[in-house]
Amino acid sequence: MAETQATVLIEGEIGTGKGLFATELHRRSNRSASGCSVVSCAAESHLEARLFGLAKGAVAGMPKSAGLFERAAGGTLILKEISDAGPRVQAKLVRAIQDRTVEPLGSHKAVDVDVRLVFTTSRDLAEEVRAGLSGSLRLTIAWPASW
């Protein structure tokens, strides 16, 4: 798995070492010479801006800035507790997975990105989707229907 460019979802109970496994995937990958950024979606209040960046004038008083997708070019981006990301962020992540592009906050111009994504969650996402729970992870559309 480490040698592939595949997007990875790691599920497991809290405290089972999902983060360690994710960083080990990066360490053993052909992207290990490039950076590895880790973000907790549960603890991030400005997750969209942090991941995708800010266009000039997007937020009053804030300068244009590259997001983690751009800064992690060639490396790995680990998103912990992805199930806690809001629907807007999830929709943008689907685009990043499928098209390998992101759109900075306040921009309508897509930016090409080259980053491997590794997601972790302590929730059973497949079961939540089967149960039809509202708020289930939208990213499930990016994974095979065999779920």
Side-chain angles (χ1 to χ4, degrees), residues 19 22-23 26 36-39 76-80 116 118-120:
T23 53
H26 170 73
C36 179
S37 297
V38 181
V39 178
T76 302
L77 183 54
I78 300 170
L79 300 178
K80 296 172 71 174
R116 182 182 192 184
V118 179
F119 302 116
T120 72

Side-chain angles (χ1 to χ4, degrees), residues 65-123:
S65 65
L68 287 175
F69 270 92
E70 289 180 78
R71 292 195 309 253
T76 302
L77 183 54
I78 300 170
L79 300 178
K80 296 172 71 174
E81 293 306 328
I82 187 60
S83 50
D84 290 334
R88 181 177 166 100
V89 170
Q90 290 181 26
K92 288 182 120 179
L93 286 170
V94 169
R95 181 176 181 185
I97 292 168
Q98 293 175 339
D99 301 341
R100 295 292 179 191
T101 63
V102 297
E103 204 170 276
L105 194 60
S107 175
H108 297 292
K109 184 178 179 184
V111 176
D112 292 334
V113 292
D114 174 27
V115 63
R116 182 182 192 184
L117 293 169
V118 179
F119 302 116
T120 72
T121 184
S122 57
R123 292 167 39 190

Side-chain angles (χ1 to χ4, degrees), residues 6 15 17 22 24 33-34 45 52 67 69 73 87-88 92 104 109 122 125 127 132 136:
E24 188 64 17
S34 297
S45 60
F52 306 110
F69 270 92
R88 181 177 166 100
K92 288 182 120 179
K109 184 178 179 184
S122 57
L125 300 180
E127 181 55 37
S136 294

